[in-house]
Amino acid sequence: MQITDEIIDYVGILAKLELSDEEKEQAKKDMTNMLDYVGKLNELDTDGVEPMSHTFSVHNVFREDVVVNGDDRENMLANAPEKKDGAYKVPRTFD
Amino acid sequence: MEKAYETVIGLEVHVELATKTKIFCGCSTEFGGAPNTHTCPVCTGMPGSLPVLNKEVVNKAIAVGLATNCTITQNCKFDRKNYFYPDNPQNYQISQLYYPICRNGKVEIEVDGKKKWIGIHEIHMEEDAGKLIHDPYTDSSLVDFNRSGVPLIEIVSEPDMRSAEEVIAYLDKLRMTIQYLGASDCKLNEGSMRADVNLSIREVGAEEFGTRTEMKNLNSFKAIARAIENERERQIDILEAGEKVVQETRRWDDNKEYSYAMRSKEDAQDYRYFPDPDLVPIIISDEWLEDIRAKQPEFRDEKKARYQEEYGLPEYDADILTGTKKLADIFEETIALDANPKKVSNWLMVETMRIVKEKEMDADDITFSATNLAKLIKLTDSQAINSTVAKEVFEKIFDEDIDPDKYVEEKGLKTVNDEGALRTTIEQVIADNPQSVEDYRNGKEKAIGFLVGQTMKAMKGKANPGMVNQILKELL
Ligand SMILES: [Zn+2]
């Protein structure tokens, strides 16, 4: 598949990445390689084959509806770059 | 000639499921905790943490699906919806796109006596996001992840509604059904039920749909009705001006009664859904389905019919009583305590609703117990208290759920059936009100009412009205 400049710009926007021109060129090459590699699968006839989402035959893994976690705020917030009043502080965000 | 337009409306309704824990972790879903006190590595999207599905979420989603005539997807999965927003710590929301748990349902609504089916396209399970609070002191946003991972179902209707009245009837139908299931309390004002309105207009008779907009932030039935009217007018104005409606998401401001576009066009809406590799498929067996089907409760329409048939209640009364699950529960519990159904209905329909209205509260938030209402009815049945006192005592029951037996005893509110005491009081009243006595004797029947009133006043409302009447007539 041909990865165009437009695709790279679009993927950059989706991933919130600002890429330099050199990085864009590199990303173009990498993405083309990856898609060509996976593209090999297109050589197979997959008519009538159900799309697969997992490689193992496990299903119905459930949890009972019982509270097991308590208040661990201090630990949780330990990773926050910034915090205030028990909350994660982030740049002002509009709804 | 003026063109005639038809409004076409479809709804996306999010409902918070009433489970004890979140959808993928053992954190509490309890409302109102201090920020981030109900969080763990899973619901804050820490690398390496793994979600495990709460079985009760699946049970409740199936129950809602069965109650809305859906086909249950017996082999369903979760998908990731990718987007960046500070209230979404994983940078994706776990939702269902390809195999939603319920599909092809319908519910029947009634508007102005006309019945109509509204199609349900699908119901899927997903997780709620956290909450952003604006901090004016630092001009930043503070994130609370207590709601992050709270289980939701999203009920997507077909574009089958044509008016605000139909939308409200549909929402009410969903709310009652889900409340009766105990799957959610469905409060629009508290956000446990949220409705996004997709609306387009087209000329009457047109086959094609117009371009639709999606309206968010509708927190009451009134706001929904106003927003629909407003958006309909806005779109008609655009078309009449020869312009085109832009497909966009708009946010309703109920104070200003207008909406504005939320996201700019440059903002890509490309969620790149893919199956969540951390969550294995759910296979719902026939036995599992049957088990839930067998446990479905009596729903509102059935209950309403039964109240009319079994207890002889008028349709209007049955409608009000079943219109709030809480009222229906109190009604049935009080009857189970041997109270007369008509009397129980009367207390709920008249006094209860009066106080609910006065206090501008939701009948769902009533807290008094059936036990105390049943006791009150027994006190009036045995004529231990008269109706005036009973109303006073009921207000106490409504506010504080007091035990009426104790209260009446402590406050000395029992009706005075002691004829001697009554006779003395009445003699005094007659002596004090010669004019009324004169009027009565001259044939003014109404004058006796005043004398009864004076007697009740003198007895502080505790006299047996029948006895007062009888003695008065005798003495006059
Ligand atoms: Zn958690």
Side-chain angles (χ1 to χ4, degrees), chain A residues 69 76, chain B residues 22 24-28 38-44 145-146 148-149:
Chain A
N69 298 335
M76 296 305 304
Chain B
K22 295 186 178 181
F24 299 120
C25 62
C27 288
S28 169
H38 301 158
T39 64
C40 73
V42 174
C43 55
T44 54
F145 289 123
N146 281 352
S148 170

Side-chain angles (χ1 to χ4, degrees), chain A residues 10 60 63 65 92 94, chain B residues 21-22 53 85 139 270 283:
Chain A
Y10 183 62
N60 291 7
R63 197 170 49 73
D65 187 23
R92 173 184 155 133
F94 286 103
Chain B
T21 62
K22 295 186 178 181
L53 180 58
Y85 209 73
D139 196 25
D270 182 346
I283 296 175

Side-chain angles (χ1 to χ4, degrees), chain A residues 10 14 53-54 59-60 62-63 65-69 71 73 76 84 86-90 92-95, chain B residues 20-22 25-26 35-36 44 52-55 77 84-85 135 139 141 143 270 276 279 281-283:
Chain A
Y10 183 62
L14 289 178
S53 56
H54 297 81
H59 61 266
N60 291 7
F62 298 121
R63 197 170 49 73
D65 187 23
V66 179
V67 178
V68 292
N69 298 335
D71 174 8
R73 180 164 82 177
M76 296 305 304
K84 193 189 173 204
Y88 301 79
K89 190 172 152 218
V90 300
R92 173 184 155 133
T93 313
F94 286 103
D95 228 354
Chain B
K20 294 185 191 76
T21 62
K22 295 186 178 181
C25 62
N36 295 298
T44 54
V52 186
L53 180 58
N54 181 348
K55 189 173 184 185
K77 285 172 191 166
F84 289 101
Y85 209 73
D135 180 36
D139 196 25
S141 292
V143 196
D270 182 346
D276 192 310
L279 289 155
I282 307 155
I283 296 175

